[in-house]
Amino acid sequence: MTTGIDTDATGAADVSATTGATPQPSSGDGERLRRWRMVLGADSAESTGCTLTGRDAAMDGALTALYEGGGRSGGRGGSGRSAGLGASAPSVARWLGDIRTYFPTSVVQVMQRDAIDRLGLSALLLEPEMLEAVEADVHLVGTLLSLNKAMPETTKETARAVVRKVVDKLERKLSTRTRATLTGALDRSAKVTRPRHHDIDWDRTIRANLKNYLTLPGEEGAGTIVPERLIGYGRAAQSVKKDVILCIDQSGSMAASVVYASVFGAVLASMRALRTRLVVFDTAVVDLTDQLDDPVDVLFGTQLGGGTDINRALAYCQSRITRPADTVVVLISDLYEGGIRNEMLKRVAAMKASGVQFVTLLALSDEGAPAYDRDHAAALSALGAPAFACTPDLFPDVMAAAIEKRPLPIPDKETHQ
């Protein structure tokens, strides 16, 4: 048997038999084939010529059980092959353990959501053993809240523990920056004209007295500002400076927003300079203000799903406003109104005319661009209440701007209405 030897541009030798034997892939090619085999699924085994073993085989098995195991068509391989998780709790529990072993937490959370959506595993979350096995995140909390009414008593305590774990983590992450940002905004919004020296707002004082700039004789370019009027910070902690009303749509599509809004509501309620009210609605309106000291109680007081009556919710909020010029109303909704559209818009216009700062958030989450009613968003924008999606990280800045009556930091002016 004769052998031909070719050398590529890098100087590496490629040896192949002239009898037609297939060259062996290099280590780099082998890694690429392995990755493609993992991405494409079992149907690609023949075309890639790659056989998975050990950890790779176990990871592929976990992926195949979810994405080629029934549910929606067009899984990883697109074949009719059916491995699947089945409907038994033991097999799902084993699968949950496998994915936590082989994948990072962020991927585990995505796979759990896909399993619930694709394979209809929501019912298994009603079993305490299953809840203890899942990786808790905001989306899982939303799913649990949607199952709240169907949840047996034996599961509720476990579900509350799962929800509390997520809520506590979010509160630790969000509370410090929220309090710091809003405390500064409250101080700046409470201006006084005869401040003590350490309470002077030098930035505003300088800008207010620029007209009093005097050039000093004898020194070119030198000058001074005569502070005819001093502006200082108020002491926001001594009394309630602003009222905040969070009005939250609890329709099924708003699950993540409900979770984040409940956490922020608890944080705002802990600030003495704010009087915070939290209202949730579908076709009915529920005031959960008396539960704001515990966002878990707030969440279990919601009922995800059902219709939407924004007008009715805003009517309730409007009836609770006593200091319009010092009130911020935050409507968190996708604006799919099932009530009276014109009445809703009239209420927003009336609140703004009375001095209320009105903020419309299409979503309060990290889920990306939400679906929403564009006609209603455009109508609110025409009233001076632009509607936009907001991430949890941006929410403190939005609230600070509303408190100070500054333009809102809209994240993407290209897409909001």
Side-chain angles (χ1 to χ4, degrees):
M1 179 174 62
T2 59
T3 303
I5 302 178
D6 296 321
T7 304
D8 62 15
T10 63
D14 177 26
V15 182
S16 61
T18 58
T19 56
T22 303
Q24 292 299 310
S26 67
S27 59
D29 290 338
E31 176 61 17
R32 281 194 293 274
L33 289 174
R34 185 189 74 85
R35 289 174 178 270
W36 275 113
R37 166 65 182 79
M38 294 288 288
V39 170
L40 297 175
D43 285 351
S44 69
E46 185 175 342
S47 60
T48 59
C50 182
T51 302
L52 299 178
T53 59
R55 186 180 180 89
D56 286 348
M59 292 173 66
D60 187 64
L63 292 167
T64 297
L66 174 56
Y67 296 110
E68 295 178 18
R72 300 175 190 169
S73 60
R76 291 196 308 149
S79 73
R81 233 175 248 200
S82 180
L85 298 178
S88 70
S91 66
V92 176
R94 284 194 299 272
W95 179 79
L96 287 169
D98 287 345
I99 64 174
R100 292 175 75 171
T101 299
Y102 300 123
F103 300 99
T105 299
S106 58
V107 176
V108 169
Q109 292 170 349
V110 171
M111 293 178 72
Q112 286 178 171
R113 293 201 298 273
D114 285 349
I116 291 169
D117 293 341
R118 295 171 63 91
L119 305 179
L121 300 183
S122 296
L124 291 178
L125 294 177
L126 301 180
E127 301 181 21
E129 308 79 38
M130 294 302 303
L131 279 180
E132 292 171 356
V134 296
E135 189 72 40
D137 68 343
V138 170
H139 303 282
L140 178 67
V141 170
T143 301
L144 290 177
L145 295 180
S146 69
L147 298 172
N148 185 24
K149 301 303 179 183
M151 196 174 289
E153 290 300 322
T154 54
T155 306
K156 283 190 175 180
E157 283 307 309
T158 306
R160 287 185 70 91
V162 171
V163 172
R164 186 168 298 283
K165 178 181 177 182
V166 175
V167 166
D168 288 348
K169 182 178 179 180
L170 289 176
E171 201 163 8
R172 287 193 300 271
K173 175 184 175 183
L174 301 172
S175 61
T176 301
R177 181 169 177 270
T178 300
R179 290 192 182 97
T181 301
L182 297 191
T183 297
L186 289 163
D187 286 346
R188 288 188 294 273
S189 68
K191 296 184 293 186
V192 294
T193 55
R194 297 183 65 184
R196 288 175 290 188
H197 182 269
H198 59 274
D199 287 334
I200 295 174
D201 183 341
W202 288 108
D203 182 57
R204 291 192 180 194
T205 295
I206 290 170
R207 282 189 282 121
N209 290 280
L210 285 175
K211 61 183 179 181
N212 300 322
Y213 180 83
L214 298 178
T215 302
L216 296 177
E219 295 186 49
E220 187 176 349
T224 188
I225 292 175
V226 179
E228 187 178 83
R229 182 165 64 95
L230 297 176
I231 299 174
Y233 300 126
R235 294 184 169 268
Q238 293 179 355
S239 61
V240 173
K241 297 298 181 183
K242 296 287 181 179
D243 294 338
V244 175
I245 301 177
L246 299 178
C247 185
I248 309 169
D249 183 345
Q250 60 177 351
S251 58
S253 60
M254 302 296 293
S257 297
V258 171
V259 176
Y260 280 114
S262 299
V263 173
F264 276 118
V267 173
L268 299 180
S270 70
M271 301 178 65
R272 289 183 295 171
L274 294 175
R275 182 185 293 115
T276 303
R277 182 178 295 275
L278 190 142
V279 176
V280 298
F281 68 93
D282 42 33
T283 53
V285 181
V286 180
D287 192 326
L288 297 176
T289 303
D290 60 348
Q291 299 177 34
L292 270 176
D293 58 330
D294 189 345
V296 176
D297 286 341
V298 170
L299 289 171
F300 277 92
T302 64
Q303 183 175 340
L304 291 176
T308 307
D309 193 339
I310 302 173
N311 176 57
R312 186 174 184 178
L314 291 181
Y316 177 83
C317 295
Q318 190 176 25
S319 71
R320 295 298 183 269
I321 296 173
T322 57
R323 304 187 304 160
D326 293 315
T327 298
V328 177
V329 174
V330 182
L331 171 64
I332 304 174
S333 173
D334 54 17
L335 301 180
Y336 288 111
E337 170 66 317
I340 307 172
R341 177 183 188 271
N342 290 337
E343 287 296 318
M344 175 189 77
L345 297 175
K346 286 179 181 178
R347 291 192 191 283
V348 175
M351 282 189 271
K352 286 189 62 64
S354 68
V356 171
Q357 293 298 107
F358 195 92
V359 179
T360 307
L361 301 182
L362 302 169
L364 178 57
S365 71
D366 290 309
E367 293 182 321
Y372 63 96
D373 189 306
R374 294 180 179 275
D375 290 339
H376 287 161
L380 288 172
S381 181
L383 295 175
F388 57 97
C390 176
T391 63
D393 288 342
L394 182 64
F395 184 74
D397 296 323
V398 170
M399 289 301 301
I403 286 171
E404 295 184 74
K405 300 185 178 181
R406 294 187 282 107
L408 300 178
I410 298 173
D412 186 354
K413 294 186 178 181
E414 296 293 324
T415 57
H416 90 279
Q417 294 292 331

